[in-house]
Every structure is written in structure tokens, then in C-alpha cells.
Amino acid sequence: MTPERTAPGHAAAETGEGRVVLVTGGARGIGAACAAGVHARGDRVAVTHRGDPPEAPRGDGRRYLPLRCDVTEPAEVEAAFVALEEHWGPAEVVVANAGITRDALLVRMGEELWQEVVDTNLTGAYRVARRAVSKMIRLRRGRMVFVSSVGAFLGVPGQVNYAATKAGMVGMARALAREVASRGITVNVVAPGVVATDMTAALGGERFAQLTAMVPLGRAATPEEVAACIGFLCSEDASYVTGAVLPVDGGLGMGL
């Protein structure tokens, strides 16, 4: 098989080292579950974090690389990729997961609350994707998954900034999917609904219960359930899936 037609993970399988995977915002929640999942499958996983370095899954640090990186800072994104490439080589799989919420009704949402969310969720994802895809194009293979939200389609009061960034991710992913498909690179989106994470816990028990009550399946997702869907989109089984949005929301959005 020529390099041009090599599928993601093929070269890694030959060496037995596993693919090089980068998960942004991998210290907790969905990102941590995603990192643990790919690590368990034998891949090498690097995670970006802004606070204390997260512990390696199952205590095995040989195939786990924490990278301090604030995606709102272009120099830190570049430094993280350089460190990853020096350690293992270019990323073959990227999960753009880093994100924040700064909820407020629009009439009370100042420029700062808007810009902070846009810079992290959307512009941060752009920076990561742009840096990663240049090397994937040379490899002529790659998997990229953007973690959006059902809020991009459903409309949640107080989340104008968050919804705008998560909807923007869908447009960005689909445009990019068309740009790089001929290079053997797939680009997809996962849209979680209510997930039991630190981010949703910060909403408070009453608000969390209200959101959960809207879910047809009657409960919140676990981070592992979302990570499993991300894992599928990163796998060989999803080699013919690109430009797709996969809802993982318990029916909350009903495919919107």
C-alpha cells in the first residue's frame, strides 16, 4: 500500500506503537474519558490542560503525555504541537474538546463574557485544527473530531455565546471536511447533550435537574458514553464518515 492510500493507524499498527492522538481539554470530563478510551485501545495520547497535569489512565504514563496549553494563546498551541511532535511525531487523530461556559442572558452579557467563550471554544478549535491539519495533509491521513453541543441546535436561554461557538464548530468542521477529504482525512462533529461533568455540576442541582428532565431517556450521559462515540469517529470503522454531526444527547435534540 502506498503512503497516499495509507489509512489512519496503518503505519502505527505496523510498528505496534499505536496512533498519535491529541485531545484538547483532556484533564477532566469528556476529554479525560476520551483520552482514557484511546489509551486503552493502545494509542499514544497527549492531552492539553491549563491546571495541574492530569494523571495517566491506569497509572501508565508510557503512552500518555500531558501538555500545558491554553488554546486562547497561539504561542502555547504552537509549543504544545512542537512538544508532541518531538516526543512522538505528528498527531494522526485530534479531538478538539477544550471549552468553557460563561452563561448570562444577552442583555447582561458584556463583551468580555462573549469574547472569552468565543476565544476558547471556537477560535481555540480553529488554532488546533489549523496546526494539526497541515501535518495530516503531508501524512495523507488523519481523523479530526470537534466536540460541539446540542445547545448549538436546541437553543438554551443564557447561552447565546456558547451556542454560537458550538454552532460555529459545525460549519467549520464541514467546510474543513470538504477541503481535506481528498487527502484521506475525515472531519466530524459530536454534539453531546446533558453530560454529568464538572461543567454541568457548576449549574447547580436545580438547573441540572431541569435540563435532565427534558431528555427523553430521562438521564444525563456519562463522559464515557460520549467518549465512545468520539472513539468510533476516530476509528477505522468510520473511514467513510466525514462532515457528519453525531448527536449524543439521549434524544434531546431529536437530530436537529
Side-chain angles (χ1 to χ4, degrees), residues 45-151:
V45 57
V47 300
T48 69
H49 62 95
R50 294 196 299 177
D52 294 332
E55 293 184 5
R58 301 181 182 180
D60 178 10
R62 184 176 61 86
R63 291 181 290 105
Y64 187 78
L65 179 66
L67 298 168
R68 189 178 301 279
C69 174
D70 183 342
V71 296
T72 67
E73 297 292 338
E76 292 193 22
V77 173
E78 176 64 21
F81 272 94
V82 169
L84 171 61
E85 290 159 1
E86 290 178 347
H87 196 75
W88 285 327
E92 298 162 273
V93 178
V94 170
V95 180
N97 169 73
I100 61 171
T101 58
R102 296 291 184 267
D103 293 357
L105 295 175
L106 184 61
V107 294
R108 300 174 184 170
M109 185 181 292
E111 293 272 345
E112 183 179 348
L113 290 182
W114 169 269
Q115 200 63 50
E116 187 179 0
V117 174
V118 171
D119 286 347
T120 302
N121 298 4
L122 187 57
T123 308
Y126 148 79
R127 290 189 180 110
V128 169
R130 183 174 182 272
R131 182 56 173 80
V133 80
S134 62
K135 295 298 177 74
M136 288 182 182
I137 288 172
R138 295 178 188 176
L139 292 173
R140 300 189 72 88
R141 65 178 187 271
R143 294 278 190 269
M144 192 171 296
V145 179
F146 291 85
V147 181
S148 179
S149 169
V150 68

Side-chain angles (χ1 to χ4, degrees), residues 9-253:
H10 180 82
E14 289 180 344
T15 63
E17 295 179 343
R19 300 172 302 172
V20 177
V21 180
L22 174 66
V23 181
T24 67
R28 59 184 184 175
I30 293 171
C34 186
V38 296
H39 184 273
R41 287 189 290 272
D43 289 328
R44 294 169 287 177
V45 57
V47 300
T48 69
H49 62 95
R50 294 196 299 177
D52 294 332
E55 293 184 5
R58 301 181 182 180
D60 178 10
R62 184 176 61 86
R63 291 181 290 105
Y64 187 78
L65 179 66
L67 298 168
R68 189 178 301 279
C69 174
D70 183 342
V71 296
T72 67
E73 297 292 338
E76 292 193 22
V77 173
E78 176 64 21
F81 272 94
V82 169
L84 171 61
E85 290 159 1
E86 290 178 347
H87 196 75
W88 285 327
E92 298 162 273
V93 178
V94 170
V95 180
N97 169 73
I100 61 171
T101 58
R102 296 291 184 267
D103 293 357
L105 295 175
L106 184 61
V107 294
R108 300 174 184 170
M109 185 181 292
E111 293 272 345
E112 183 179 348
L113 290 182
W114 169 269
Q115 200 63 50
E116 187 179 0
V117 174
V118 171
D119 286 347
T120 302
N121 298 4
L122 187 57
T123 308
Y126 148 79
R127 290 189 180 110
V128 169
R130 183 174 182 272
R131 182 56 173 80
V133 80
S134 62
K135 295 298 177 74
M136 288 182 182
I137 288 172
R138 295 178 188 176
L139 292 173
R140 300 189 72 88
R141 65 178 187 271
R143 294 278 190 269
M144 192 171 296
V145 179
F146 291 85
V147 181
S148 179
S149 169
V150 68
F153 314 100
L154 190 62
V156 178
Q159 291 196 330
V160 168
N161 49 5
Y162 184 77
T165 61
K166 294 302 185 177
M169 281 180 138
V170 175
M172 180 165 61
R174 286 181 162 166
L176 180 57
R178 291 188 182 274
E179 290 182 10
V180 299
S182 65
R183 302 288 178 151
I185 303 166
T186 65
V187 186
N188 291 290
V189 178
V190 165
V194 183
V195 186
T197 65
D198 291 348
M199 185 180 291
T200 53
L203 297 173
E206 183 178 351
R207 180 59 174 155
F208 184 77
Q210 290 173 346
L211 292 173
T212 303
M214 297 168 59
V215 179
L217 287 181
R219 65 174 179 85
T222 66
E224 289 74 20
E225 287 174 314
V226 180
C229 294
I230 294 171
F232 163 70
L233 292 174
C234 293
S235 73
E236 285 298 295
D237 292 334
S239 60
Y240 202 61
V241 181
T242 196
V245 178
L246 177 58
V248 191
D249 60 9
L252 180 59

